[in-house]
Amino acid sequence: MANRWKPLVVLGTGQFLMVLDASVMNVSISQLVEDFDTEVTAIQAVITLYTLVMAAFMLTGGKIGDMFGRRRVFVIGLVVYGVGSGLTAVAPTVGVLALGWSIIEGLGAALVLPALAALVAGSYSGRDRAVAYGVIGGLAGAGIAVGPLLGGWVTTYLTWRLVFAGEVVLVVAMLLLMRWIPAQPRPTDRPPLDVLGSVLSAAGLAAMVLGVLQSGTWGWVQPRNPPFTVLGFAPTLFVVALGAGLTYAFCVHERRREARGRTPLVSLDLFGNRTLRAGLTTLFNQNTVLLGLFFVIPLYLQVVQGLDAFETGLRLLPVSVTMLGASMSGTLLLRIASPRAICRVGLLVLLAATLWLIGAIGPELHGASFAGAMALLGVGMGMLASQLGNTVQSSVRAEERSEAGGLQYTAQNLGSSLGTALIGALLIGALATSVTSQIESDPRVSAAVAEQAGVHVEAGVSFVPADEVAAALAAQPGVPPEEAAAVVENYRDAQIDGLKAAVLACSCITAGAVLFTGHLPSARPGARTDTRSAR
């Protein structure tokens, strides 16, 4: 192996590691629910919190890299991440799981990822840089490929905890190979960290995602089961509005800080770069759809179809393999098309895959159709992953790369958080609406039983196996067996309706994403001017 690719071994392993976690957790949802004696919504919150912590602190992580040196911060972030992985491996409760995985690992990743993006750009240039970012995108696909299969096998036959113990070993190996990454220019000055900006950005993003995450439980307007109400309404929109207000206050604060000649957490002038803005928006949309689907599909396979974690991993293998292949072929695609054309085709392929998936989801699992939809999904995702990282980093100057890296992974992880939260909330909301309407219109169910079921739905419906619903109804006095069977049948149908509605929402997001690709690079590398001219 040529020495020039040694840095990519360490940096690519870091990217692989960051992606592996979420994909392992997604196929282990049912086992986590059982191990911690909790509900799907609790694990959904833990998964969302992980990506939310990364999104909330990614800008801060990028700025710390500028202050103390990207390579040093990369090492510190790996150490923090390793500590979180070790705690997650031994977590006795959901609370400790959230602390180790969602918070500590999330903070470690917020230090690692912006530094990683900048280190790739600092270690390579020209075509080598495009190749390097293609490999990074491919290894992200590999993490998604290995995660469901490895995580599913380990979860089913051993324990999911071994994955996180293995991550600690991987972190140690990376630390021992850090000498492979060339020394980076030392920061010439060390301006103070914008603490208020960090707090405002983190609080704003957290509040918006929290509101979306809880919408399925609280309700959007009419209260469903919230801890409190605001003027008689559900608190959801008020919490989202609070987050938007805090984010606006962050922007005002950053402008004022820059006007006074002080270093901001992130220069808002970067958003005047149309290429960067288009790349970030497309990254956000891609990850909203990807993580939304990777939350919904394992629920379909495990809760509705009754597959275990390993069988779920096998069913997800087509998307993983094709995503890896499409990601790694990014530089070959650039020989015949521009990044803009590749991303637009990728989004159209992704749209076709989600529409196909809606047809493939049903009470019975149609293996060939489902596998085809998954394979096509991976092609679309891989085409996007092969271009967007290099597009973002190549659109800015060298001294702006940490900030751009922070924005890049903020967009990715905010999309991941909102994908899990929004699509999960839509799934639960559609389930509740469908099961209520079906029970009320079913002549086999008496008005008394329908009213009793409606009360339970209003108190908060969960996406659980139909057998659990049947067992709960059997324990209810006054519910005749034939009516209980009708309610269970309606619940099964409502599950399929909810899943289809969630995937349809992903289709709509994908279709809308095409509209934001207009300022992606329109010429192949070597045949265009510097993308910074797009400012």
Side-chain angles (χ1 to χ4, degrees):
M1 179 180 60
N3 286 337
R4 77 178 193 275
W5 297 117
K6 283 186 176 181
L8 196 57
V9 173
V10 180
L11 297 171
T13 302
Q15 177 67 72
F16 173 85
L17 193 60
M18 302 296 125
V19 174
L20 181 68
D21 266 6
S23 58
V24 169
M25 282 296 191
N26 279 326
V27 298
S28 303
I29 290 174
S30 295
Q31 190 61 50
L32 290 165
V33 168
E34 181 179 337
D35 287 354
F36 293 110
D37 191 23
T38 186
E39 296 182 347
V40 166
T41 50
I43 303 304
Q44 177 196 11
V46 171
I47 293 172
T48 301
L49 182 59
Y50 173 61
T51 52
L52 175 58
V53 167
M54 285 196 284
F57 292 98
M58 204 65 71
L59 295 178
T60 304
K63 182 56 65 176
I64 291 174
D66 284 339
M67 294 168 59
F68 297 98
R70 296 157 184 170
R71 181 171 160 177
R72 179 184 300 175
V73 170
F74 184 78
V75 170
I76 294 171
L78 283 177
V79 172
V80 173
Y81 192 89
V83 170
S85 296
L87 182 60
T88 303
V90 298
T93 65
V94 173
V96 177
L97 177 73
L99 174 63
W101 186 56
S102 304
I103 297 176
I104 298 179
E105 283 195 45
L107 290 172
L111 294 173
V112 167
L113 289 171
L116 185 152
L119 287 170
V120 172
S123 300
Y124 301 99
S125 61
R127 175 165 289 276
D128 281 355
R129 182 186 295 169
V131 172
Y133 275 111
V135 171
I136 291 292
L139 287 169
I144 294 174
V146 173
L149 202 57
L150 174 63
W153 186 85
V154 172
T155 297
T156 301
Y157 298 108
L158 299 170
T159 169
W160 55 268
R161 298 177 187 274
L162 285 178
V163 175
F164 293 92
E167 286 187 351
V168 177
V169 176
L170 201 56
V171 164
V172 172
M174 291 171 63
L175 292 172
L176 293 175
L177 296 176
M178 279 302 298
R179 66 183 183 277
W180 285 3
I181 298 178
Q184 304 292 308
R186 291 181 176 274
T188 55
D189 57 359
R190 189 175 297 173
L193 179 66
D194 180 8
V195 177
L196 178 58
S198 297
V199 172
L200 286 173
S201 65
L205 293 173
M208 285 190 287
V209 175
L210 175 64
V212 175
L213 174 65
Q214 294 299 322
S215 61
T217 303
W218 295 351
W220 282 101
V221 179
Q222 293 299 319
R224 180 172 294 164
N225 190 29
F228 61 92
T229 60
V230 180
L231 302 175
F233 296 102
T236 303
L237 294 178
F238 294 93
V239 173
V240 172
L242 173 62
L246 289 170
T247 303
Y248 176 76
F250 163 73
C251 294
V252 172
H253 168 72
E254 294 300 285
R255 285 296 189 194
R256 288 178 177 173
R257 191 174 175 89
E258 272 194 290
R260 294 170 183 169
R262 305 180 68 186
T263 303
L265 184 66
V266 61
S267 175
L268 298 183
D269 289 340
L270 283 173
F271 290 101
N273 183 329
R274 294 181 297 176
T275 300
L276 174 65
R277 195 167 63 238
L280 294 176
T281 304
T282 309
L283 274 169
F284 172 83
N285 289 323
Q286 176 200 11
N287 281 271
T288 300
V289 173
L290 178 62
L291 269 294
L293 290 174
F294 265 66
F295 179 77
V296 168
I297 293 170
L299 286 180
Y300 169 64
L301 295 174
Q302 294 182 351
V303 176
V304 176
Q305 299 299 332
L307 305 184
D308 61 32
F310 180 56
E311 291 169 329
T312 300
L314 288 175
R315 295 291 183 179
L316 293 176
L317 188 59
V319 67
S320 307
V321 171
T322 55
M323 182 174 178
L324 175 60
S327 298
M328 298 291 283
S329 64
T331 52
L332 297 177
L333 293 174
L334 286 173
R335 295 180 180 179
I336 59 173
S338 68
R340 181 197 297 176
I342 294 169
C343 288
R344 283 179 171 173
V345 172
L347 287 169
L348 293 175
V349 170
L350 181 57
L351 176 61
T354 56
L355 294 175
W356 185 353
L357 185 60
I358 293 172
I361 290 176
E364 302 298 327
L365 180 60
H366 302 290
S369 180
F370 185 82
M374 290 290 94
L376 193 63
L377 178 68
V379 172
M381 285 294 178
M383 293 178 72
L384 293 170
S386 72
Q387 303 301 318
L388 293 175
N390 188 43
T391 295
V392 168
Q393 284 292 317
S394 297
S395 68
V396 299
R397 298 186 297 268
E399 61 270 21
E400 296 172 330
R401 284 176 185 152
S402 285
E403 282 185 294
L407 289 171
Q408 174 183 338
Y409 285 106
T410 297
Q412 285 187 211
N413 288 290
L414 184 58
S416 299
S417 298
L418 284 174
T420 304
L422 177 62
I423 302 304
L426 288 172
L427 170 63
I428 297 299
L431 171 66
T433 300
S434 180
V435 74
T436 300
S437 63
Q438 290 195 46
I439 290 173
E440 289 177 350
S441 62
D442 192 334
R444 297 172 297 173
V445 181
S446 66
V449 172
E451 182 179 357
Q452 187 178 356
V455 170
H456 284 290
V457 169
E458 285 298 314
V461 65
S462 296
F463 200 95
V464 297
D467 291 343
E468 290 188 20
V469 176
L473 287 170
Q476 291 287 329
V479 179
E482 61 276 11
E483 291 192 45
V487 170
V488 171
E489 181 182 330
N490 288 321
Y491 181 79
R492 290 182 192 274
D493 292 340
Q495 283 184 318
I496 301 301
D497 291 342
L499 289 163
K500 288 178 178 287
V503 178
L504 179 60
C506 291
S507 300
C508 294
I509 295 170
T510 303
V514 179
L515 302 176
F516 296 95
T517 59
H519 294 299
L520 292 174
S522 58
R524 299 193 303 276
R528 58 183 169 91
T529 59
D530 192 336
T531 55
R532 287 171 296 198
S533 64
R535 286 177 185 270

